[in-house]
Amino acid sequence: MVSSSATAPRSGVYYFSQGWKLIRLPGIRRFVILPLLVNIVLMGSAFWWLFTQLDNWIPSLMSRVPDWLQWLSYLLWPVAIISVLLVFGYFFSTLANWIAAPFSGLLAEQLEARLTGATPPDVGIFGIMKDIPRILKREWQKLAWYLPRAVVLLILYFIPGIGQTVAPVLWFLFSAWMMAIQYCDYPFDNHKVPFATMRESLRTRKSINMQFGALTSLFTMIPVLNLVILPVAICGATAMWVDCYRDKHATWK
């Protein structure tokens, strides 16, 4: 498959589905292995531990529901489970992204080169080592932007009634946007596009990015599938970069 920056942008659903195809491209599979291994080890261990704790956490969360809402408990119970999975999934996917960031950037770079025929400036382990300080600084920028907003939403969970009804919806929308930022940032960062500029660019196509981020968030909650979501999302986001943003922001052709 060869994409082009002249291609009209599609939906976020399309780019997410493309990610599953692109990870299997000959010549790209070897760049998928390291971020995939990081995600399998971390997410697999984290979700195994989570499912051993749910029996304790969910009743504790439900005990905060006021008496006048107890009649909705049969609806709030699955909402509580989904909320825990969303928060937990995003936290550990963020941790996996930190650890795998250098390899994720390399995957995005090599896939972009494959889709466009362009030649990236650096290839291989020496290019990765040189860029590690910049990549980790970029991950910190994302975390610094995310944490204050996440804390506000988490506080909502402890407000009786509102916390169990409104907070999960807001958290899902926020997670969808953050997933779009997280994975689209790899190709943007490969071209040294500033973090603030990247966010402004994503907002110009917010519907596409929210669709993409929402699907990524959902798949982080699904056992087994969440183990491979990191390289899938990187590949889908890179395809989106090529179609939607590369013409304006690329520093290498």
Side-chain angles (χ1 to χ4, degrees):
M1 171 189 169
V2 177
S3 184
S4 165
S5 55
T7 303
R10 284 97 162 186
S11 69
V13 176
Y14 169 82
Y15 291 113
F16 184 78
S17 66
Q18 284 300 103
W20 294 92
K21 299 176 182 178
L22 293 171
I23 62 171
R24 303 195 299 270
L25 279 179
I28 295 300
R29 288 192 292 259
R30 60 195 175 104
F31 296 103
V32 169
I33 292 173
L34 283 175
L36 180 62
L37 287 177
V38 169
N39 206 49
I40 287 174
V41 171
L42 189 59
M43 292 291 283
S45 302
F47 270 83
W48 176 82
W49 180 79
L50 171 64
F51 286 115
T52 66
Q53 302 299 315
L54 279 178
D55 286 344
N56 297 322
W57 288 1
I58 298 303
S60 175
L61 189 60
M62 292 299 297
S63 68
R64 300 179 183 276
V65 178
D67 292 340
W68 62 275
L69 279 178
Q70 287 299 323
W71 64 277
L72 279 177
S73 60
Y74 71 95
L75 290 177
L76 295 178
W77 184 272
V79 168
I81 294 176
I82 291 172
S83 298
V84 171
L85 290 175
L86 275 172
V87 174
F88 200 81
Y90 187 79
F91 175 80
F92 278 96
S93 67
T94 300
L95 184 57
N97 286 326
W98 266 79
I99 297 171
F103 309 111
S104 299
L106 180 61
L107 170 58
E109 180 182 85
Q110 293 302 309
L111 179 60
E112 179 181 347
R114 172 66 179 272
L115 294 177
T116 62
T119 301
D122 292 309
V123 178
I125 190 66
F126 294 108
I128 296 175
M129 292 175 64
K130 179 174 68 69
D131 278 345
I132 283 177
R134 177 183 59 79
I135 291 170
L136 293 182
K137 179 182 177 181
R138 185 69 163 224
E139 292 298 316
W140 170 251
Q141 285 181 299
K142 284 184 274 191
L143 186 63
W145 186 88
Y146 156 77
L147 275 180
R149 295 162 175 81
V151 168
V152 170
L153 287 176
L154 287 174
I155 290 173
L156 286 180
Y157 275 95
F158 296 95
I159 301 176
I162 295 176
Q164 288 75 32
T165 53
V166 176
V169 176
L170 295 178
W171 182 267
F172 180 77
L173 294 174
F174 176 64
S175 294
W177 183 238
M178 270 310 302
M179 287 293 183
I181 288 176
Q182 177 66 55
Y183 291 107
C184 289
D185 188 53
Y186 291 117
F188 274 93
D189 186 43
N190 284 340
H191 290 265
K192 313 300 190 293
V193 178
F195 183 60
T197 303
M198 183 271 299
R199 296 199 323 270
E200 287 296 325
S201 295
L202 295 189
R203 275 195 282 268
T204 64
R205 302 184 188 274
K206 195 162 189 176
S207 175
I208 293 174
N209 284 288
M210 285 297 288
Q211 292 170 25
F212 179 84
L215 282 170
T216 304
S217 290
L218 286 172
F219 273 72
T220 62
M221 298 188 295
I222 303 174
V224 181
L225 291 179
N226 61 8
L227 301 180
V228 298
I229 198 61
L230 193 155
V232 168
I234 293 168
C235 289
T238 302
M240 191 193 307
W241 152 267
V242 169
D243 285 355
C244 302
Y245 306 108
R246 193 175 194 276
D247 276 347
K248 182 177 180 180
H249 297 290
T251 57
W252 46 270
K253 301 292 185 180

